[in-house]
Amino acid sequence: MGEKVLLEVHGLRTSFFTDDGEIPAVDGVDFFIREGEVLGIVGESGCGKSVTSLSIMGLLPKGIGKVVGGEILFKGENLVEASERRMKQIRGNEIAMIFQEPMTSLNPLFTIGNQLVEAIRIHTKIGKKEARARAAEMLKLVGLPRAAQLLDEYPHQLSGGMRQRVMIAMAMLCRPALLIADEPTTALDVTIQAQILALMKQLNQTFGTAVMMITHDLGVVAELCDRVIVMYAGQIVEEGSVRDIFRNPKHPYTIGLIRSIPDIRGKKERLYSIPGQVPKPGAIRRGCRFADRCEWVVDRCRHEDPLLYETSEQGHRARCFLALEREGLVDERAAARSERA
Amino acid sequence: MLSYVVRRVLMVIPVLFGMSLVVFFMIRAIPGNPAQVILGQKATKEAVAALTHKLGLDQPWYVQYVKYIGGLLHGDLGESIRTGAPIAEEIWPYLAATIELSLAAMLIAVIIGVNAGIISAWFQNSWFDYIAMVLALIGVSMPIFWLGLMEQWLFSIQLDWLPTSGREDVRNPIEPITHLYLVDTLLSGNTDQFWQVVQHLVLPSMALATIPMAIIARMTRSSMLEVMKSDYIRTARAKGLSMFWVVYKHSLKNAIIPVLTVIGLQTGLLLGGAILTETIFSWPGIGRYIYDAIGYRDYPVIQSGILIIATIFIFINLIVDLLYAIIDPRIKYN
Ligand SMILES: Nc1ncnc2c1ncn2[C@@H]1O[C@H](COP(=O)(O)OP(=O)(O)OP(=O)(O)O)[C@@H](O)[C@H]1O
Ligand code: SF4
Ligand SMILES: [Mg+2]
């Protein structure tokens, strides 16, 4: 992992403009990814994880979704202001993306080979034969057997796990500096999940590709990531190294998420889940957005917007008054509660 | 793939049989003795009996049917009562005229309709989309005879750009080879006549193309909009592919599948002979041929005409099904 920053997002705000008015899906998000780093982005459904990644790729639904503020600096270049022509050069070449649904993410009417060769030849001026050879090589690299044959097969002839490997191969073809993976294992069964995660870790180490790993599963974060960002209702509520976040979570939402990780050994305990639901974007105009679900809510939380405060640990920040005022106390409280329970 | 094609082609055989049976009984279900109807009320008993015998109508129906099928298998469609000529020979020039006109109309309808649908979907809610879809809405409900008359009035009478009617210039008649005049004039290398044929085709084919074009444009648009929401289109975009290729390669191939059905159906309808258009433009097509036969109570012609049109319908269906299999690899395996 290098020290150089690859991607810097400052004050990103992305809205959808629908018949119901403006929906602020991402509402002031700041983060960065270093070269070769694996950054996890976690949060429940609807927190704005996918919208953040689509904003980076410039792939928001046309005419509806729009970046309304902030900047996205990739190698120093602001992608928010980049032309579509420039974005086409970047997509798939410098920033690649894989998605949640391997079953539907490949075009059913074209062979695997056609879709891989296309991905190479958009960005590299090489012949079809050479591109095919490179595609076959990449299929081997992602652990697919009989690569040469696979090139002539159609997506429906492959299992979900195989298709996700093909997607990963496609994403890695041009050796991108950043790979955005939007819940790449959610749709797969557990053993395949573990294999795909191991593959991504391996590719990250072999090629030095930075990975932005979007997931709602903290288990995946623990497995794969260096740092983690926790998102809630379009904002970042906590940020830190994986080690700090697991050992010493500051934000009540993060604490809740950690408590809801299923224990692999313990079958007896009922699975904890945070009560309530993520508020709709724009629903809460004042105060902490987590207040309605927070066990430690105080008066101030409802009137004032908490900021992303620095903590005593380096690079560990949390958006919570409690974390600000009672550094270190959060853990004891949580411990006390779980003892009582 | 091959086994699918063979299976699909073999499936046509029972359909053709069934259809021939339906047509056979349909004609015989017309009330009254055809011989009597043909000869009129004042005909003598002997004359009616003679014609009944000549038409083979005095035999039991299964004998008639076997004879009729036997004839069909040898390419024998019987003889026209009116002209006494073998129908198989007589019908072809009319059929050729209709085929030429229908294919010209469908070519226009598909090229313009599909592209208008694609661009409307690509630039959804743009002025192009609005105008194209309003035109398509008008197009589907357009009375074609009225459109044909307006075309004639504007382009032939007022502007004198194109001939009003017919297939050829009567002062410079075409020597028929295949009876498809575009082909014939090319074969004989007569470019002047070729352009004449094209000019004669323009107005009737534009009139005939209107409704299919409008239907195809609307269908293509909605199918494209559906496809463009799918995950694999997002993947194609994420690769860095330009919108042009996303639209014309990845989206179109998927979106065209339901449109093919419509194209097949509309082609079948046009080949069935658009009587109104053929009448307005004095186009000597199959529609007019059958229509005239009805006037003369020429039952063998009516029967054969319907049979041929139905057969064409079945074969277009077959072609559409085979196209599906070529486009969609998933079909072959289930
Ligand atoms: N096409 C859209 N039109 C309108 N609003 C949208 C659209 N896509 C997303 N949103 C809004 O943005 C919010 C965030 O969506 P996003 O897809 O980023 O969530 P997510 O964190 O990725 O959730 P998930 O875990 O379900 O993928 C949603 O709550 C929704 O209100
Ligand atoms: S700011 Fe208040 S309501 Fe929000 S998480 Fe912290 S303690 Fe809970
Ligand atoms: Mg998502």
Side-chain angles (χ1 to χ4, degrees):
Chain A
M1 200 205 316
E3 281 306 301
K4 252 178 91 184
V5 170
L6 181 66
L7 180 84
E8 258 179 290
V9 174
H10 292 300
L12 177 68
R13 291 194 299 116
T14 302
S15 289
F16 289 92
F17 295 88
T18 67
D19 295 338
D20 307 330
E22 182 176 344
I23 301 169
V26 172
D27 198 5
V29 158
D30 303 85
F31 67 92
F32 65 93
I33 303 179
R34 296 191 192 92
E35 283 177 354
E37 182 181 41
V38 183
L39 176 75
I41 299 191
V42 289
E44 285 162 297
S45 198
C47 286
K49 308 183 294 292
S50 296
V51 175
T52 302
S53 61
L54 293 176
S55 304
I56 296 170
M57 292 294 280
L59 288 179
L60 292 164
K62 201 184 61 172
I64 312 171
K66 196 172 181 309
V67 173
V68 291
E71 41 181 30
I72 299 166
L73 301 176
F74 179 71
K75 295 181 177 170
E77 181 181 359
N78 187 0
L79 300 187
V80 174
E81 265 151 26
S83 65
E84 175 59 21
R85 213 185 115 104
R86 177 75 187 120
M87 286 311 292
K88 273 189 304 203
Q89 293 172 348
I90 292 173
R91 279 184 214 128
N93 192 25
E94 302 202 58
I95 308 178
M97 188 161 178
I98 57 175
F99 303 97
Q100 177 173 345
E101 276 301 331
M103 299 313 268
T104 52
S105 289
L106 289 161
N107 194 323
L109 305 188
F110 294 95
T111 59
I112 304 294
N114 182 310
Q115 299 185 54
L116 290 178
V117 165
E118 177 184 66
I120 300 173
R121 283 172 37 108
I122 293 168
H123 301 292
T124 322
K125 297 269 162 289
I126 58 169
K128 275 205 175 116
K129 263 220 178 99
E130 210 181 318
R132 253 181 91 88
R134 257 173 73 175
E137 198 184 308
M138 191 48 91
L139 287 180
K140 262 184 232 142
L141 215 79
V142 298
L144 283 165
R146 50 185 195 89
Q149 264 164 281
L150 269 187
L151 288 178
D152 294 319
E153 287 181 13
Y154 287 93
H156 72 270
Q157 293 168 275
L158 275 56
S159 70
M162 286 170 87
R163 285 189 218 185
Q164 198 58 295
R165 281 178 198 267
V166 170
M167 283 299 292
I168 293 172
M170 191 190 282
M172 295 303 295
L173 277 171
C174 295
R175 307 282 148 87
L178 175 63
L179 174 65
I180 301 177
D182 192 350
E183 310 202 28
T185 59
T186 309
L188 303 171
D189 63 47
V190 187
T191 44
I192 310 290
Q193 271 186 24
Q195 290 171 14
I196 296 287
L197 290 180
L199 170 65
M200 293 190 60
K201 185 92 203 164
Q202 177 210 326
L203 291 174
N204 162 255
Q205 282 164 356
T206 329
F207 295 116
T209 304
V211 179
M212 181 171 144
M213 183 75 189
I214 296 172
T215 176
H216 52 240
D217 182 353
L218 270 173
V220 170
V221 172
E223 191 90 11
L224 197 66
C225 301
D226 303 312
R227 276 191 313 124
V228 60
I229 280 170
V230 181
M231 280 189 77
Y232 188 77
Q235 293 181 324
I236 292 177
V237 293
E238 186 156 3
E239 174 187 355
S241 70
V242 168
R243 196 187 150 93
D244 288 344
I245 295 262
F246 274 92
R247 277 199 185 167
N248 190 12
K250 306 279 185 195
H251 196 285
Y253 181 57
T254 314
I255 295 168
L257 286 179
I258 291 173
R259 278 171 67 192
S260 33
I261 299 176
D263 186 357
I264 311 161
R265 294 147 296 156
K267 292 130 209 146
K268 46 201 178 293
E269 263 178 280
R270 246 199 302 148
L271 206 59
Y272 173 83
S273 74
I274 306 166
Q277 276 170 351
V278 183
K280 287 228 170 62
I284 297 174
R285 305 215 165 269
R286 208 156 57 115
C288 173
R289 295 181 186 188
F290 190 60
D292 285 342
R293 304 170 73 186
C294 183
E295 301 173 45
W296 295 285
V297 58
V298 291
D299 238 17
R300 183 182 178 192
C301 306
R302 300 210 182 260
H303 304 300
E304 234 179 291
D305 296 353
L307 302 175
L308 203 51
Y309 304 110
E310 290 288 344
T311 69
S312 51
E313 286 158 341
Q314 212 214 328
H316 191 173
R317 298 186 292 166
R319 190 184 293 277
C320 173
F321 294 122
L322 204 71
L324 172 72
E325 286 164 18
R326 311 207 168 170
E327 260 275 46
L329 204 74
V330 180
D331 253 347
E332 288 165 29
R333 281 227 204 170
R337 282 195 61 84
S338 53
E339 251 166 45
R340 250 183 284 135
Chain B
M1 177 75 188
L2 194 68
S3 86
Y4 172 83
V5 172
V6 172
R7 246 185 307 140
R8 189 60 191 77
V9 171
L10 288 179
M11 264 164 59
V12 165
I13 294 170
V15 176
L16 284 173
F17 261 105
M19 184 216 38
S20 68
L21 206 61
V22 169
V23 174
F24 178 83
F25 280 109
M26 217 166 72
I27 297 299
R28 271 147 195 80
I30 299 171
N33 180 350
Q36 182 79 63
V37 177
I38 291 163
L39 296 173
Q41 288 306 320
K42 292 185 210 108
T44 61
K45 268 220 167 86
E46 291 72 37
V48 172
L51 186 57
T52 307
H53 181 71
K54 186 174 169 250
L55 294 176
L57 295 175
D58 51 350
Q59 286 163 320
W61 70 265
Y62 48 88
V63 176
Q64 289 182 35
Y65 181 71
V66 170
K67 273 193 175 171
Y68 160 69
I69 287 291
L72 285 183
L73 290 179
H74 290 97
D76 178 8
L77 296 173
E79 284 166 10
S80 161
I81 293 172
R82 180 158 62 105
T83 64
I87 296 168
E89 287 168 27
E90 197 182 68
I91 206 168
W92 172 247
Y94 296 99
L95 191 59
T98 293
I99 289 176
E100 194 163 69
L101 177 58
S102 310
L103 292 189
M106 278 320 282
L107 197 70
I108 297 172
V110 169
I111 291 176
I112 300 180
V114 167
N115 281 291
I118 290 172
I119 296 170
S120 282
W122 182 352
F123 302 104
Q124 195 192 357
N125 300 329
S126 66
W127 61 265
F128 180 94
D129 183 23
Y130 288 129
I131 293 175
M133 285 309 116
V134 168
L135 287 179
L137 198 66
I138 296 171
V140 284
S141 44
M142 179 68 80
I144 291 307
F145 72 94
W146 181 83
L147 182 68
L149 292 174
M150 292 312 278
E151 279 182 4
Q152 282 176 331
W153 177 79
L154 181 63
F155 294 108
S156 306
I157 298 167
Q158 294 299 320
L159 297 170
D160 198 22
W161 286 354
L162 295 161
T164 27
S165 60
R167 283 183 84 189
E168 62 188 327
D169 190 338
V170 284
R171 288 159 303 181
N172 184 11
I174 290 160
E175 192 62 45
I177 306 169
T178 64
H179 288 280
L180 297 164
Y181 283 177
L182 285 176
V183 177
D184 291 352
T185 51
L186 282 180
L187 285 178
S188 62
N190 191 335
T191 40
D192 275 359
Q193 281 190 330
F194 178 79
W195 287 116
Q196 268 174 34
V197 175
V198 171
Q199 286 182 353
H200 278 90
L201 265 171
V202 173
L203 292 187
S205 57
M206 293 264 286
L208 270 188
T210 305
I211 290 179
M213 191 195 302
I215 296 176
I216 291 169
R218 279 155 49 116
M219 190 73 199
T220 306
R221 177 181 184 269
S222 65
S223 180
M224 283 291 285
L225 284 177
E226 198 52 47
V227 167
M228 282 165 77
K229 274 189 249 159
S230 54
D231 291 350
Y232 54 82
I233 295 304
R234 194 180 47 186
T235 305
R237 297 261 286 136
K239 282 181 192 178
L241 209 57
S242 69
M243 264 317 267
F244 181 84
W245 286 108
V246 169
V247 167
Y248 275 89
K249 179 183 171 183
H250 288 268
S251 309
L252 183 57
K253 199 172 179 186
N254 282 279
I256 204 73
I257 294 175
V259 180
L260 275 181
T261 312
V262 173
I263 293 176
L265 205 67
Q266 292 294 325
T267 310
L269 285 177
L270 293 194
L271 283 170
I275 294 213
L276 226 47
T277 315
E278 289 184 354
T279 306
I280 292 168
F281 290 98
S282 309
W283 197 265
I286 188 96
R288 293 256 314 280
Y289 181 61
I290 296 173
Y291 183 76
D292 291 346
I294 293 172
Y296 284 100
R297 296 288 189 276
D298 196 341
Y299 288 112
V301 169
I302 302 170
Q303 178 167 312
S304 301
I306 294 173
L307 196 72
I308 284 178
I309 289 171
T311 306
I312 289 176
F313 231 102
I314 290 169
F315 275 95
I316 287 174
N317 234 304
L318 173 67
I319 292 170
V320 168
D321 272 6
L322 295 181
L323 282 177
Y324 281 169
I326 291 171
I327 292 177
D328 193 341
R330 289 166 296 188
I331 288 178
K332 293 163 218 164
Y333 295 87
N334 49 45

